[in-house]
Each structure stands twice: as C-alpha cells, then as structure tokens.
Amino acid sequence: MRKLIVLALSLMLVIGLSAGAAAQNVKIGLAVSTLNNPFFVDLKDGAESMAEEMGVEILTVDAQDDAASQLSSVEDLLIKQIDVLIVNPVDGNAVVSAITAANDAGVPVITVDRGAEGGDVVSHIASDNVAGGEMAGDFIAEQLGEEGKVVELQGIPGTSAARDRGEGFNKAIDKYSGMEVIARQPAGFDRAEGMTVMENILQGNPEIDAVFAHNDNMALGAMEAIAAAGRSDEIMIVGFDAIDDAREAVAEGEMAATVAQKPDLMGEMAVETAIKVANGEEVDEYTPVPLELITE
C-alpha cells in the first residue's frame, strides 16, 4: 500500500513538473495596435504580468496604429519562433495578412479586444462592444428623457471595436423616437483628433444635447472642445474604456459616464489562453470580458 502511495505521489510530481516545464518553454508574441493609448498599455501590462506569473516568455511589439507596421512586426515575431501569437489588430481587414502569415508558419493566433475579418483565429477575447454601445445609448436617452440631439464620434474605420460600439449605440438610440443622431464622424480613437472633430461639429450645430465617443480619448478631446466653446453645461459626454483620465472627469462631473472595460484582465486572459493553446488544450472560440457603466 505504501509503495502505491509513493508511486502515485511520484507520478503527480512528474506530471506537475512536466506541466510547469511546458509552460516555461512557451514563447508568446504580443502585437499591440498602439501604446500611445492608456487602454492598450493596461492590456500589455496585464499580459506581461500574467506571463511573468506563469513563467513564460512574452515578446511585445507596438504597431503605433499603422497596419503595415503591424504586419512587419508580426513577421519579426514569427522569425523569433514564437509558439502563439496574440494580436490586437490596428485594422480588422488589414490584419488578415499577418494572421495568414502566422497560419502558414503553424503558429496559433488569438485576437484580443479587436477582432479580425479573416484568417484562422483559435480564440477571441474581448468585451461585448455591441452591448457596451447599447449601454451608453440607453443611458444617454434616459438622462435626456428620451428626447435629444446626439453626436457620435466614431473610432478607426475597419476596427471591430468601432463597428460594434457604433452598432450597439445606434441600436439603442433607434428605440427612442425622440432621439436623433445629428452628426457622425470618425476621430481615430485619438484625443487631439477628437477635439478637432468636435470643434468643427460645434460650429455647425447650435443644438447638441449629448456626445457619445467610441473611446475615452475622443471623449476627453471633445470635452476640451466643448469647454473651450463655453457649452459644457448644455452637452453631456459619454465615453468608452474607463481610462484613468475619464474616470477622473466623471468623478468631477465633466463627463457623464464611461463604459468600463478591463484591459488588464483581457491581457491576463489572453496569456492564459495562449498557454493552454500551446499545451494542446481546447479553448473557447470567444471569451467575453465583463462591462460596467461608470457614472460617478
């Protein structure tokens, strides 16, 4: 009996060591759309923290919002013989070339936050952006008594985040006969561009009750433009991502709300999923990350 117990314990130890060795030998490539956005910095930090905790190697590259640069950096990661690629696409269509390159090299691909329009992706980890956009639209309509004129600042065309957040937002607004979107314009998920676009919209629209921006950077840029125009008291602003500056603006009453994603958790989940994939385990095709509306 004692020999059986010793044998079982020895077997468990061997299995444990083998699993640990498998995790330690995993090399993950993380291709981020841009590190000029605090949201994606948090995503990167979450991924790198989890990689360190799990004892795996992670190589991070920054595309600086350039699709061609993302393809080139992914090719560099493949040359370094990564086992799994985690990609946060600059553009859902343009990223297909990078994913195909990974497919051809036999490297499994995971997308995070933004999806891809093609290629073989084993798992996608993201918030339900449609639900988040709808959450924002419903909140604005409720705050305005279901009647008002709204501006939509759109993200980068071609990204799943911009498409899905816009879809959810407009789905919500369309439910209210008294609500009208009077202007829709891309502002590149960028704060400076958000300010410039909002300045132009303000000049042509004397009546605006609310602004929904597809991310907080654009919302904060719009906030600056609205303040400079002396119209802060008449225009409500709602953003998306709940970055620190936006949370502070909400707390101070400068923004009405922001939809909170959890980018650090996304990064952690992406690395956990990558390790499972590298070790031949089954993973879900889509893993949703919880959302929350921050109003104070």
Side-chain angles (χ1 to χ4, degrees), residues 72-86:
S72 176
S73 60
V74 166
E75 290 172 341
D76 288 343
L77 288 173
L78 295 174
I79 290 171
K80 294 174 181 176
Q81 298 186 320
I82 57 172
D83 298 298
V84 183
L85 172 65
I86 300 171

Side-chain angles (χ1 to χ4, degrees), residues 9 55 73 75 88 95 98 110 125 135 147 215 222 234-235 239 244 265 267 295:
L9 289 172
S73 60
E75 290 172 341
N88 161 238
V95 78
I110 296 166
I125 297 165
M135 186 184 296
E147 186 172 343
N215 83 338
E234 62 187 81
I235 302 176
D244 289 344
L265 179 58
T295 59

Side-chain angles (χ1 to χ4, degrees), residues 130-147:
V130 175
E134 190 169 2
M135 186 184 296
D138 283 331
F139 173 79
I140 289 172
E142 290 165 6
Q143 294 300 304
L144 295 178
E146 302 183 7
E147 186 172 343

